[in-house]
PDB file of all heavy atoms in Angstrom:
ATOM      1  N   ALA A 481     -32.338  24.030 -12.834  1.00  0.00           N
ATOM      2  CA  ALA A 481     -33.268  24.166 -13.931  1.00  0.00           C
ATOM      3  C   ALA A 481     -33.139  22.994 -14.952  1.00  0.00           C
ATOM      4  O   ALA A 481     -34.159  22.438 -15.409  1.00  0.00           O
ATOM      5  CB  ALA A 481     -33.128  25.540 -14.658  1.00  0.00           C
ATOM      6  N   LEU A 482     -31.897  22.676 -15.273  1.00  0.00           N
ATOM      7  CA  LEU A 482     -31.652  21.615 -16.192  1.00  0.00           C
ATOM      8  C   LEU A 482     -32.180  20.274 -15.614  1.00  0.00           C
ATOM      9  O   LEU A 482     -32.799  19.494 -16.335  1.00  0.00           O
ATOM     10  CB  LEU A 482     -30.163  21.486 -16.526  1.00  0.00           C
ATOM     11  CG  LEU A 482     -29.791  20.550 -17.590  1.00  0.00           C
ATOM     12  CD1 LEU A 482     -30.477  20.871 -18.938  1.00  0.00           C
ATOM     13  CD2 LEU A 482     -28.271  20.576 -17.791  1.00  0.00           C
ATOM     14  N   LEU A 483     -31.895  20.038 -14.396  1.00  0.00           N
ATOM     15  CA  LEU A 483     -32.365  18.765 -13.749  1.00  0.00           C
ATOM     16  C   LEU A 483     -33.872  18.685 -13.669  1.00  0.00           C
ATOM     17  O   LEU A 483     -34.469  17.594 -13.948  1.00  0.00           O
ATOM     18  CB  LEU A 483     -31.876  18.660 -12.316  1.00  0.00           C
ATOM     19  CG  LEU A 483     -30.349  18.292 -12.208  1.00  0.00           C
ATOM     20  CD1 LEU A 483     -29.884  18.504 -10.725  1.00  0.00           C
ATOM     21  CD2 LEU A 483     -30.110  16.862 -12.665  1.00  0.00           C
ATOM     22  N   ALA A 484     -34.458  19.872 -13.435  1.00  0.00           N
ATOM     23  CA  ALA A 484     -35.973  19.882 -13.358  1.00  0.00           C
ATOM     24  C   ALA A 484     -36.580  19.568 -14.772  1.00  0.00           C
ATOM     25  O   ALA A 484     -37.683  18.996 -14.841  1.00  0.00           O
ATOM     26  CB  ALA A 484     -36.443  21.187 -12.849  1.00  0.00           C
ATOM     27  N   THR A 485     -35.889  20.045 -15.759  1.00  0.00           N
ATOM     28  CA  THR A 485     -36.411  19.782 -17.199  1.00  0.00           C
ATOM     29  C   THR A 485     -36.206  18.359 -17.566  1.00  0.00           C
ATOM     30  O   THR A 485     -37.115  17.751 -18.115  1.00  0.00           O
ATOM     31  CB  THR A 485     -35.675  20.759 -18.122  1.00  0.00           C
ATOM     32  OG1 THR A 485     -35.867  22.087 -17.735  1.00  0.00           O
ATOM     33  CG2 THR A 485     -36.174  20.491 -19.544  1.00  0.00           C
ATOM     34  N   VAL A 486     -35.031  17.807 -17.267  1.00  0.00           N
ATOM     35  CA  VAL A 486     -34.762  16.413 -17.733  1.00  0.00           C
ATOM     36  C   VAL A 486     -35.400  15.405 -16.844  1.00  0.00           C
ATOM     37  O   VAL A 486     -35.866  14.348 -17.286  1.00  0.00           O
ATOM     38  CB  VAL A 486     -33.222  16.250 -17.791  1.00  0.00           C
ATOM     39  CG1 VAL A 486     -32.900  14.834 -18.226  1.00  0.00           C
ATOM     40  CG2 VAL A 486     -32.577  17.249 -18.805  1.00  0.00           C
ATOM     41  N   PHE A 487     -35.417  15.717 -15.500  1.00  0.00           N
ATOM     42  CA  PHE A 487     -35.981  14.739 -14.569  1.00  0.00           C
ATOM     43  C   PHE A 487     -37.142  15.422 -13.869  1.00  0.00           C
ATOM     44  O   PHE A 487     -37.005  15.768 -12.705  1.00  0.00           O
ATOM     45  CB  PHE A 487     -34.967  14.269 -13.545  1.00  0.00           C
ATOM     46  CG  PHE A 487     -33.753  13.561 -14.200  1.00  0.00           C
ATOM     47  CD1 PHE A 487     -32.525  14.250 -14.366  1.00  0.00           C
ATOM     48  CD2 PHE A 487     -33.896  12.231 -14.601  1.00  0.00           C
ATOM     49  CE1 PHE A 487     -31.485  13.591 -14.943  1.00  0.00           C
ATOM     50  CE2 PHE A 487     -32.820  11.588 -15.179  1.00  0.00           C
ATOM     51  CZ  PHE A 487     -31.626  12.317 -15.334  1.00  0.00           C
ATOM     52  N   PRO A 488     -38.306  15.619 -14.444  1.00  0.00           N
ATOM     53  CA  PRO A 488     -39.421  16.236 -13.799  1.00  0.00           C
ATOM     54  C   PRO A 488     -39.923  15.394 -12.608  1.00  0.00           C
ATOM     55  O   PRO A 488     -39.835  14.198 -12.626  1.00  0.00           O
ATOM     56  CB  PRO A 488     -40.471  16.353 -14.877  1.00  0.00           C
ATOM     57  CG  PRO A 488     -40.143  15.224 -15.820  1.00  0.00           C
ATOM     58  CD  PRO A 488     -38.658  15.132 -15.842  1.00  0.00           C
ATOM     59  N   SER A 489     -40.406  16.126 -11.595  1.00  0.00           N
ATOM     60  CA  SER A 489     -40.900  15.416 -10.433  1.00  0.00           C
ATOM     61  C   SER A 489     -42.078  14.455 -10.801  1.00  0.00           C
ATOM     62  O   SER A 489     -43.032  14.913 -11.488  1.00  0.00           O
ATOM     63  CB  SER A 489     -41.304  16.436  -9.332  1.00  0.00           C
ATOM     64  OG  SER A 489     -41.833  15.721  -8.266  1.00  0.00           O
ATOM     65  N   ARG A 490     -42.061  13.254 -10.305  1.00  0.00           N
ATOM     66  CA  ARG A 490     -43.135  12.412 -10.495  1.00  0.00           C
ATOM     67  C   ARG A 490     -43.756  11.874  -9.190  1.00  0.00           C
ATOM     68  O   ARG A 490     -44.216  10.782  -9.133  1.00  0.00           O
ATOM     69  CB  ARG A 490     -42.645  11.191 -11.354  1.00  0.00           C
ATOM     70  CG  ARG A 490     -42.275  11.589 -12.771  1.00  0.00           C
ATOM     71  CD  ARG A 490     -41.796  10.390 -13.523  1.00  0.00           C
ATOM     72  NE  ARG A 490     -40.615   9.825 -13.000  1.00  0.00           N
ATOM     73  CZ  ARG A 490     -40.068   8.630 -13.417  1.00  0.00           C
ATOM     74  NH1 ARG A 490     -40.658   7.962 -14.349  1.00  0.00           N
ATOM     75  NH2 ARG A 490     -38.988   8.164 -12.836  1.00  0.00           N
ATOM     76  N   ALA A 491     -43.649  12.722  -8.190  1.00  0.00           N
ATOM     77  CA  ALA A 491     -44.149  12.294  -6.863  1.00  0.00           C
ATOM     78  C   ALA A 491     -45.636  11.992  -6.832  1.00  0.00           C
ATOM     79  O   ALA A 491     -46.100  11.162  -6.150  1.00  0.00           O
ATOM     80  CB  ALA A 491     -43.786  13.368  -5.821  1.00  0.00           C
ATOM     81  N   HIS A 492     -46.351  12.732  -7.746  1.00  0.00           N
ATOM     82  CA  HIS A 492     -47.813  12.592  -7.746  1.00  0.00           C
ATOM     83  C   HIS A 492     -48.242  11.313  -8.486  1.00  0.00           C
ATOM     84  O   HIS A 492     -49.405  10.981  -8.460  1.00  0.00           O
ATOM     85  CB  HIS A 492     -48.512  13.813  -8.404  1.00  0.00           C
ATOM     86  CG  HIS A 492     -47.992  14.074  -9.815  1.00  0.00           C
ATOM     87  ND1 HIS A 492     -46.826  14.676 -10.081  1.00  0.00           N
ATOM     88  CD2 HIS A 492     -48.538  13.693 -11.044  1.00  0.00           C
ATOM     89  CE1 HIS A 492     -46.618  14.699 -11.437  1.00  0.00           C
ATOM     90  NE2 HIS A 492     -47.641  14.112 -11.971  1.00  0.00           N
ATOM     91  N   ASP A 493     -47.298  10.713  -9.244  1.00  0.00           N
ATOM     92  CA  ASP A 493     -47.647   9.549  -9.990  1.00  0.00           C
ATOM     93  C   ASP A 493     -47.647   8.289  -9.155  1.00  0.00           C
ATOM     94  O   ASP A 493     -48.050   7.288  -9.707  1.00  0.00           O
ATOM     95  CB  ASP A 493     -46.704   9.370 -11.194  1.00  0.00           C
ATOM     96  CG  ASP A 493     -46.860  10.501 -12.200  1.00  0.00           C
ATOM     97  OD1 ASP A 493     -47.938  11.093 -12.233  1.00  0.00           O
ATOM     98  OD2 ASP A 493     -45.909  10.830 -12.883  1.00  0.00           O
ATOM     99  N   ARG A 494     -47.078   8.251  -8.013  1.00  0.00           N
ATOM    100  CA  ARG A 494     -46.947   7.001  -7.201  1.00  0.00           C
ATOM    101  C   ARG A 494     -47.238   7.392  -5.735  1.00  0.00           C
ATOM    102  O   ARG A 494     -46.942   8.557  -5.322  1.00  0.00           O
ATOM    103  CB  ARG A 494     -45.632   6.379  -7.455  1.00  0.00           C
ATOM    104  CG  ARG A 494     -44.472   7.234  -6.957  1.00  0.00           C
ATOM    105  CD  ARG A 494     -43.209   6.430  -7.171  1.00  0.00           C
ATOM    106  NE  ARG A 494     -42.015   7.141  -6.631  1.00  0.00           N
ATOM    107  CZ  ARG A 494     -41.285   7.928  -7.413  1.00  0.00           C
ATOM    108  NH1 ARG A 494     -41.602   8.100  -8.682  1.00  0.00           N
ATOM    109  NH2 ARG A 494     -40.235   8.611  -6.882  1.00  0.00           N
TER     110      ARG A 494
END
Side-chain angles (χ1 to χ4, degrees):
L482 186 60
L483 285 170
T485 301
V486 178
F487 300 102
S489 175
R490 294 182 295 172
H492 58 279
D493 294 334
R494 61 177 184 269

